[in-house]
Amino acid sequence: MATYLTKEGYDKKMQELAELEAQRPAIKNAIAEARDKGDLSENAEYDAAKEAQGMLEMKIAKIKELISSARIIDETHLNTEVVALLNKVTIKNLGTGQVVTYTIVSEDEANFREFKLASSTPIAKGLIGHRKGDVVEVTVPAGVMKFEILNIEI
């Protein structure tokens, strides 16, 4: 299954991969030091170092898998007719009157503090495919919310 990323998101994953791979020598040294201390069956340092190595390799494998299936979205082909992935959508919560702008992104780029909303969230799913001026009802864990789409931009 393809993972859709922006160029920025792809670059962040590549940087994260490089940082994780740079940790390999330190963990390898920790395992060697712990091994030199003797009996491995009762060596907590060795067990901890091996566990850290396993976790690191798991993270590296996960990122490599994501990168191998990544498709970078060409932002020049986006439009603002309907809400879609990578659009900035300004919505008004008709219950509270609060206006907020979200960018609809893939799961791997979601960051609520940066107002990047994963396309798989109930709100994003409710907005995708709708036009400026539409009022959409979204079922969230707290109940049903109504939003008016005020603007769609790239």
Side-chain angles (χ1 to χ4, degrees), residues 49 53 57 75 120 140 149:
Q53 182 184 37
E57 293 303 326
E75 296 180 43
S120 61
V140 295
I149 300 173

Side-chain angles (χ1 to χ4, degrees), residues 127-138:
L127 296 173
I128 291 174
H130 288 278
R131 300 177 179 280
K132 181 178 176 180
D134 285 357
V135 173
V136 296
E137 289 187 2
V138 178

